[in-house]
Short mmCIF file of all heavy atoms in Angstrom, two decimals:
data_model
loop_
_atom_site.label_atom_id
_atom_site.label_comp_id
_atom_site.label_asym_id
_atom_site.label_seq_id
_atom_site.Cartn_x
_atom_site.Cartn_y
_atom_site.Cartn_z
N VAL I 768 -8.99 21.30 -0.05
CA VAL I 768 -9.46 22.68 -0.16
C VAL I 768 -9.72 23.23 1.24
O VAL I 768 -10.31 22.53 2.09
CB VAL I 768 -10.76 22.78 -0.99
CG1 VAL I 768 -11.27 24.22 -1.04
CG2 VAL I 768 -10.54 22.25 -2.39
N LEU I 769 -9.28 24.45 1.46
CA LEU I 769 -9.59 25.14 2.70
C LEU I 769 -10.82 26.01 2.45
O LEU I 769 -10.82 26.84 1.55
CB LEU I 769 -8.41 26.00 3.16
CG LEU I 769 -8.68 26.91 4.37
CD1 LEU I 769 -9.06 26.09 5.59
CD2 LEU I 769 -7.47 27.79 4.65
N VAL I 770 -11.85 25.81 3.27
CA VAL I 770 -13.10 26.56 3.12
C VAL I 770 -13.29 27.46 4.34
O VAL I 770 -13.42 26.97 5.47
CB VAL I 770 -14.31 25.61 2.99
CG1 VAL I 770 -15.59 26.42 2.79
CG2 VAL I 770 -14.11 24.64 1.84
N LEU I 771 -13.29 28.77 4.12
CA LEU I 771 -13.59 29.72 5.20
C LEU I 771 -15.10 29.93 5.21
O LEU I 771 -15.65 30.49 4.26
CB LEU I 771 -12.86 31.04 4.96
CG LEU I 771 -11.35 30.95 4.71
CD1 LEU I 771 -10.78 32.33 4.45
CD2 LEU I 771 -10.66 30.30 5.88
N ALA I 772 -15.75 29.46 6.25
CA ALA I 772 -17.21 29.46 6.26
C ALA I 772 -17.76 30.53 7.19
O ALA I 772 -17.56 30.48 8.40
CB ALA I 772 -17.73 28.08 6.69
N GLY I 773 -18.45 31.50 6.61
CA GLY I 773 -19.09 32.55 7.40
C GLY I 773 -20.29 31.99 8.14
O GLY I 773 -21.12 31.30 7.57
N THR I 774 -20.36 32.29 9.43
CA THR I 774 -21.47 31.80 10.26
C THR I 774 -22.31 32.98 10.74
O THR I 774 -21.83 34.12 10.77
CB THR I 774 -20.95 31.01 11.47
OG1 THR I 774 -20.02 31.82 12.19
CG2 THR I 774 -20.26 29.74 11.03
N LEU I 786 -23.54 26.81 3.65
CA LEU I 786 -22.91 26.54 4.93
C LEU I 786 -23.34 25.18 5.46
O LEU I 786 -22.52 24.38 5.93
CB LEU I 786 -23.26 27.63 5.94
CG LEU I 786 -22.78 27.38 7.38
CD1 LEU I 786 -21.26 27.32 7.45
CD2 LEU I 786 -23.32 28.47 8.31
N GLU I 789 -21.54 22.49 3.44
CA GLU I 789 -20.11 22.34 3.75
C GLU I 789 -19.90 21.67 5.11
O GLU I 789 -19.01 20.82 5.26
CB GLU I 789 -19.43 23.71 3.74
CG GLU I 789 -19.31 24.36 2.37
CD GLU I 789 -18.29 23.67 1.46
OE1 GLU I 789 -17.58 22.74 1.93
OE2 GLU I 789 -18.19 24.06 0.29
N LEU I 790 -20.72 22.01 6.09
CA LEU I 790 -20.58 21.39 7.40
C LEU I 790 -20.92 19.90 7.35
O LEU I 790 -20.33 19.09 8.07
CB LEU I 790 -21.49 22.09 8.41
CG LEU I 790 -21.11 23.53 8.78
CD1 LEU I 790 -22.20 24.16 9.65
CD2 LEU I 790 -19.76 23.56 9.50
N ALA I 793 -17.80 18.08 5.05
CA ALA I 793 -16.38 18.32 5.33
C ALA I 793 -15.67 17.07 5.82
O ALA I 793 -16.29 16.17 6.42
CB ALA I 793 -16.24 19.42 6.37
N VAL I 795 -12.77 17.65 7.65
CA VAL I 795 -12.31 18.20 8.94
C VAL I 795 -13.03 19.53 9.14
O VAL I 795 -13.14 20.33 8.21
CB VAL I 795 -10.79 18.44 8.96
CG1 VAL I 795 -10.34 19.03 10.29
CG2 VAL I 795 -10.03 17.15 8.66
N ILE I 796 -13.50 19.78 10.37
CA ILE I 796 -14.04 21.09 10.72
C ILE I 796 -13.18 21.65 11.85
O ILE I 796 -13.05 21.03 12.91
CB ILE I 796 -15.51 21.02 11.18
CG1 ILE I 796 -16.41 20.47 10.07
CG2 ILE I 796 -16.00 22.42 11.59
CD1 ILE I 796 -17.86 20.32 10.47
N ALA I 797 -12.57 22.80 11.59
CA ALA I 797 -11.79 23.50 12.61
C ALA I 797 -12.65 24.63 13.14
O ALA I 797 -13.06 25.52 12.39
CB ALA I 797 -10.49 24.04 12.01
N ALA I 798 -12.95 24.60 14.45
CA ALA I 798 -13.88 25.55 15.03
C ALA I 798 -13.23 26.34 16.16
O ALA I 798 -12.50 25.79 16.98
CB ALA I 798 -15.11 24.82 15.56
N GLU I 799 -13.52 27.64 16.20
CA GLU I 799 -13.00 28.47 17.27
C GLU I 799 -13.50 27.97 18.63
O GLU I 799 -12.77 27.98 19.61
CB GLU I 799 -13.42 29.92 17.04
CG GLU I 799 -12.86 30.89 18.07
CD GLU I 799 -13.21 32.33 17.78
OE1 GLU I 799 -14.08 32.60 16.91
OE2 GLU I 799 -12.62 33.22 18.43
N ASP I 800 -14.76 27.54 18.67
CA ASP I 800 -15.34 26.99 19.89
C ASP I 800 -16.17 25.76 19.48
O ASP I 800 -17.21 25.90 18.85
CB ASP I 800 -16.22 28.03 20.57
CG ASP I 800 -16.74 27.58 21.93
OD1 ASP I 800 -16.97 26.37 22.11
OD2 ASP I 800 -16.93 28.44 22.82
N LEU I 804 -20.02 25.23 17.87
CA LEU I 804 -20.23 24.49 16.62
C LEU I 804 -21.31 23.44 16.81
O LEU I 804 -22.20 23.28 15.95
CB LEU I 804 -18.93 23.84 16.16
CG LEU I 804 -19.07 22.88 14.98
CD1 LEU I 804 -19.47 23.65 13.72
CD2 LEU I 804 -17.79 22.09 14.75
N THR I 820 -12.02 19.67 15.28
CA THR I 820 -10.88 20.07 16.10
C THR I 820 -11.02 21.55 16.46
O THR I 820 -11.64 22.32 15.72
CB THR I 820 -9.56 19.82 15.36
OG1 THR I 820 -8.46 20.09 16.24
CG2 THR I 820 -9.43 20.71 14.12
N SER I 821 -10.46 21.93 17.57
CA SER I 821 -10.52 23.34 17.97
C SER I 821 -9.43 24.14 17.24
O SER I 821 -8.35 23.62 16.95
CB SER I 821 -10.35 23.47 19.48
OG SER I 821 -9.06 23.03 19.88
N TYR I 822 -9.74 25.40 16.99
CA TYR I 822 -8.77 26.28 16.33
C TYR I 822 -9.07 27.70 16.81
O TYR I 822 -9.97 28.37 16.31
CB TYR I 822 -8.90 26.18 14.81
CG TYR I 822 -7.81 26.90 14.04
CD1 TYR I 822 -6.53 26.35 13.96
CD2 TYR I 822 -8.04 28.11 13.41
CE1 TYR I 822 -5.52 27.00 13.27
CE2 TYR I 822 -7.05 28.76 12.70
CZ TYR I 822 -5.78 28.21 12.63
OH TYR I 822 -4.78 28.84 11.94
N PHE I 823 -8.32 28.13 17.82
CA PHE I 823 -8.57 29.44 18.41
C PHE I 823 -7.24 30.15 18.66
O PHE I 823 -6.17 29.59 18.38
CB PHE I 823 -9.38 29.32 19.71
CG PHE I 823 -8.75 28.43 20.75
CD1 PHE I 823 -7.95 28.98 21.74
CD2 PHE I 823 -8.96 27.06 20.74
CE1 PHE I 823 -7.36 28.16 22.70
CE2 PHE I 823 -8.39 26.23 21.70
CZ PHE I 823 -7.58 26.79 22.68
N ASN I 826 -4.24 28.29 20.28
CA ASN I 826 -3.56 27.12 19.69
C ASN I 826 -3.34 27.26 18.18
O ASN I 826 -2.96 26.29 17.52
CB ASN I 826 -4.33 25.84 19.99
CG ASN I 826 -5.65 25.72 19.24
OD1 ASN I 826 -6.02 26.60 18.45
ND2 ASN I 826 -6.38 24.64 19.48
N GLU I 827 -3.59 28.46 17.63
CA GLU I 827 -3.41 28.67 16.18
C GLU I 827 -2.03 28.25 15.70
O GLU I 827 -1.90 27.57 14.68
CB GLU I 827 -3.64 30.15 15.83
CG GLU I 827 -5.01 30.48 15.32
CD GLU I 827 -5.05 31.88 14.75
OE1 GLU I 827 -5.01 32.86 15.54
OE2 GLU I 827 -5.12 32.02 13.51
N ARG I 830 -1.70 24.39 15.90
CA ARG I 830 -2.71 23.63 15.17
C ARG I 830 -2.61 23.85 13.66
O ARG I 830 -3.00 22.98 12.86
CB ARG I 830 -4.10 24.02 15.67
CG ARG I 830 -5.27 23.12 15.28
CD ARG I 830 -5.08 21.67 15.66
NE ARG I 830 -4.78 21.43 17.06
CZ ARG I 830 -5.69 21.30 18.02
NH1 ARG I 830 -6.97 21.41 17.73
NH2 ARG I 830 -5.32 21.05 19.25
N THR I 831 -2.07 24.99 13.23
CA THR I 831 -1.98 25.27 11.79
C THR I 831 -1.21 24.20 11.02
O THR I 831 -1.68 23.72 9.98
CB THR I 831 -1.36 26.66 11.55
OG1 THR I 831 -2.28 27.67 12.03
CG2 THR I 831 -1.09 26.91 10.07
N LEU I 834 -3.43 21.11 10.52
CA LEU I 834 -4.49 21.29 9.53
C LEU I 834 -3.91 21.36 8.12
O LEU I 834 -4.51 20.87 7.16
CB LEU I 834 -5.29 22.56 9.84
CG LEU I 834 -6.14 22.48 11.12
CD1 LEU I 834 -6.73 23.84 11.46
CD2 LEU I 834 -7.26 21.45 10.95
N LEU I 838 -4.82 19.17 4.74
CA LEU I 838 -5.08 19.76 3.42
C LEU I 838 -4.17 19.15 2.35
O LEU I 838 -4.62 18.82 1.25
CB LEU I 838 -4.88 21.28 3.48
CG LEU I 838 -5.94 22.05 4.25
CD1 LEU I 838 -5.47 23.46 4.57
CD2 LEU I 838 -7.24 22.13 3.42
N ARG I 843 -10.84 18.08 2.72
CA ARG I 843 -11.56 19.35 2.67
C ARG I 843 -11.72 19.84 4.12
O ARG I 843 -12.42 19.21 4.93
CB ARG I 843 -12.91 19.18 2.01
CG ARG I 843 -13.61 20.50 1.64
CD ARG I 843 -14.87 20.23 0.81
NE ARG I 843 -15.46 21.47 0.29
CZ ARG I 843 -15.12 22.04 -0.85
NH1 ARG I 843 -14.17 21.49 -1.60
NH2 ARG I 843 -15.71 23.17 -1.26
N VAL I 844 -11.07 20.95 4.43
CA VAL I 844 -11.08 21.49 5.79
C VAL I 844 -11.96 22.73 5.82
O VAL I 844 -11.73 23.69 5.08
CB VAL I 844 -9.65 21.84 6.26
CG1 VAL I 844 -9.69 22.50 7.64
CG2 VAL I 844 -8.79 20.59 6.28
N VAL I 845 -12.98 22.70 6.67
CA VAL I 845 -13.88 23.85 6.83
C VAL I 845 -13.52 24.56 8.12
O VAL I 845 -13.48 23.94 9.19
CB VAL I 845 -15.36 23.40 6.84
CG1 VAL I 845 -16.27 24.59 7.13
CG2 VAL I 845 -15.73 22.77 5.50
N LEU I 846 -13.27 25.86 8.03
CA LEU I 846 -12.91 26.66 9.20
C LEU I 846 -14.08 27.56 9.57
O LEU I 846 -14.58 28.32 8.72
CB LEU I 846 -11.67 27.50 8.91
CG LEU I 846 -11.23 28.49 10.00
CD1 LEU I 846 -10.87 27.75 11.28
CD2 LEU I 846 -10.04 29.32 9.51
N VAL I 847 -14.53 27.49 10.81
CA VAL I 847 -15.60 28.36 11.30
C VAL I 847 -15.16 29.03 12.59
O VAL I 847 -14.40 28.46 13.38
CB VAL I 847 -16.92 27.59 11.54
CG1 VAL I 847 -17.47 27.03 10.25
CG2 VAL I 847 -16.74 26.49 12.56
N THR I 848 -15.63 30.26 12.80
CA THR I 848 -15.38 30.95 14.06
C THR I 848 -16.72 31.13 14.77
O THR I 848 -17.75 30.67 14.31
CB THR I 848 -14.69 32.30 13.81
OG1 THR I 848 -15.46 33.07 12.88
CG2 THR I 848 -13.30 32.10 13.24
N ASP I 849 -16.68 31.81 15.91
CA ASP I 849 -17.90 31.94 16.70
C ASP I 849 -19.01 32.65 15.93
O ASP I 849 -20.19 32.35 16.10
CB ASP I 849 -17.61 32.69 18.00
CG ASP I 849 -16.74 31.86 18.94
OD1 ASP I 849 -16.59 30.65 18.70
OD2 ASP I 849 -16.23 32.42 19.91
N GLY I 851 -19.53 35.29 12.10
CA GLY I 851 -18.94 36.06 11.02
C GLY I 851 -17.92 35.29 10.20
O GLY I 851 -17.91 34.06 10.17
N MET I 852 -17.04 36.05 9.54
CA MET I 852 -16.08 35.46 8.62
C MET I 852 -14.74 35.17 9.28
O MET I 852 -14.14 36.08 9.88
CB MET I 852 -15.86 36.41 7.43
CG MET I 852 -14.89 35.89 6.38
SD MET I 852 -15.39 34.30 5.64
CE MET I 852 -16.91 34.79 4.81
N PRO I 853 -14.25 33.94 9.21
CA PRO I 853 -12.93 33.62 9.76
C PRO I 853 -11.86 34.55 9.20
O PRO I 853 -11.93 34.98 8.05
CB PRO I 853 -12.70 32.18 9.29
CG PRO I 853 -14.07 31.62 9.13
CD PRO I 853 -14.91 32.76 8.61
N SER I 854 -10.88 34.85 10.03
CA SER I 854 -9.71 35.68 9.75
C SER I 854 -9.98 37.17 9.84
O SER I 854 -9.04 37.97 9.82
CB SER I 854 -9.05 35.35 8.39
OG SER I 854 -9.74 35.95 7.32
N VAL I 855 -11.24 37.61 9.95
CA VAL I 855 -11.54 39.03 10.13
C VAL I 855 -11.65 39.28 11.64
O VAL I 855 -12.71 39.08 12.23
CB VAL I 855 -12.83 39.45 9.41
CG1 VAL I 855 -13.11 40.93 9.62
CG2 VAL I 855 -12.72 39.14 7.92
N ASP I 857 -10.60 37.40 13.74
CA ASP I 857 -10.86 36.06 14.26
C ASP I 857 -9.74 35.13 13.77
O ASP I 857 -9.00 35.49 12.85
CB ASP I 857 -12.21 35.52 13.73
CG ASP I 857 -13.38 35.95 14.61
OD1 ASP I 857 -13.15 36.27 15.78
OD2 ASP I 857 -14.51 35.97 14.10
N PRO I 858 -9.60 33.94 14.35
CA PRO I 858 -8.60 33.00 13.86
C PRO I 858 -8.80 32.70 12.36
O PRO I 858 -9.92 32.69 11.88
CB PRO I 858 -8.84 31.76 14.72
CG PRO I 858 -9.48 32.28 15.96
CD PRO I 858 -10.34 33.42 15.51
N GLY I 859 -7.70 32.43 11.68
CA GLY I 859 -7.80 32.06 10.27
C GLY I 859 -6.65 32.51 9.41
O GLY I 859 -6.24 31.81 8.48
N TYR I 860 -6.09 33.69 9.70
CA TYR I 860 -5.05 34.23 8.82
C TYR I 860 -3.87 33.29 8.69
O TYR I 860 -3.36 33.05 7.58
CB TYR I 860 -4.58 35.60 9.33
CG TYR I 860 -3.32 36.06 8.65
CD1 TYR I 860 -3.36 36.54 7.33
CD2 TYR I 860 -2.08 35.97 9.28
CE1 TYR I 860 -2.20 36.93 6.69
CE2 TYR I 860 -0.92 36.36 8.65
CZ TYR I 860 -0.99 36.84 7.34
OH TYR I 860 0.16 37.23 6.72
N ARG I 861 -3.41 32.73 9.79
CA ARG I 861 -2.22 31.85 9.73
C ARG I 861 -2.47 30.65 8.82
O ARG I 861 -1.61 30.26 8.03
CB ARG I 861 -1.85 31.36 11.13
CG ARG I 861 -1.19 32.40 12.02
CD ARG I 861 -0.73 31.74 13.32
NE ARG I 861 -0.05 32.67 14.21
CZ ARG I 861 -0.65 33.38 15.15
NH1 ARG I 861 -1.96 33.27 15.30
NH2 ARG I 861 0.04 34.20 15.92
N LEU I 862 -3.65 30.07 8.94
CA LEU I 862 -3.95 28.90 8.13
C LEU I 862 -4.10 29.26 6.66
O LEU I 862 -3.63 28.53 5.78
CB LEU I 862 -5.23 28.22 8.65
CG LEU I 862 -5.63 26.92 7.96
CD1 LEU I 862 -4.49 25.91 7.99
CD2 LEU I 862 -6.89 26.34 8.59
N VAL I 863 -4.74 30.39 6.39
CA VAL I 863 -4.87 30.84 5.00
C VAL I 863 -3.49 31.08 4.39
O VAL I 863 -3.19 30.64 3.27
CB VAL I 863 -5.72 32.11 4.91
CG1 VAL I 863 -5.70 32.69 3.49
CG2 VAL I 863 -7.17 31.82 5.32
N VAL I 873 -7.97 27.92 -1.65
CA VAL I 873 -8.72 28.52 -0.54
C VAL I 873 -9.97 29.16 -1.11
O VAL I 873 -9.91 29.93 -2.06
CB VAL I 873 -7.89 29.58 0.20
CG1 VAL I 873 -8.70 30.20 1.35
CG2 VAL I 873 -6.58 29.00 0.73
N THR I 874 -11.12 28.83 -0.52
CA THR I 874 -12.37 29.44 -0.96
C THR I 874 -13.16 29.86 0.27
O THR I 874 -12.71 29.66 1.41
CB THR I 874 -13.19 28.47 -1.84
OG1 THR I 874 -14.32 29.16 -2.38
CG2 THR I 874 -13.67 27.27 -1.04
N ALA I 875 -14.32 30.45 0.07
CA ALA I 875 -15.11 30.93 1.20
C ALA I 875 -16.60 30.70 0.97
O ALA I 875 -17.07 30.70 -0.18
CB ALA I 875 -14.85 32.42 1.43
N VAL I 876 -17.30 30.49 2.06
CA VAL I 876 -18.75 30.49 2.04
C VAL I 876 -19.18 31.88 2.51
O VAL I 876 -19.04 32.20 3.69
CB VAL I 876 -19.33 29.42 3.00
CG1 VAL I 876 -20.84 29.51 3.04
CG2 VAL I 876 -18.88 28.03 2.58
#
Side-chain angles (χ1 to χ4, degrees):
V768 178
L769 173 61
V770 182
L771 308 178
T774 54
L786 174 63
E789 291 289 355
L790 292 173
V795 179
I796 299 177
E799 183 176 12
D800 186 328
L804 172 67
T820 186
S821 64
Y822 189 75
F823 57 94
N826 71 1
E827 263 191 287
R830 193 56 54 86
T831 293
L834 292 172
L838 289 164
R843 192 172 188 88
V844 176
V845 175
L846 175 62
V847 296
T848 54
D849 291 347
M852 181 59 65
S854 80
V855 180
D857 274 338
Y860 168 75
R861 286 186 178 91
L862 184 55
V863 172
V873 179
T874 187
V876 176

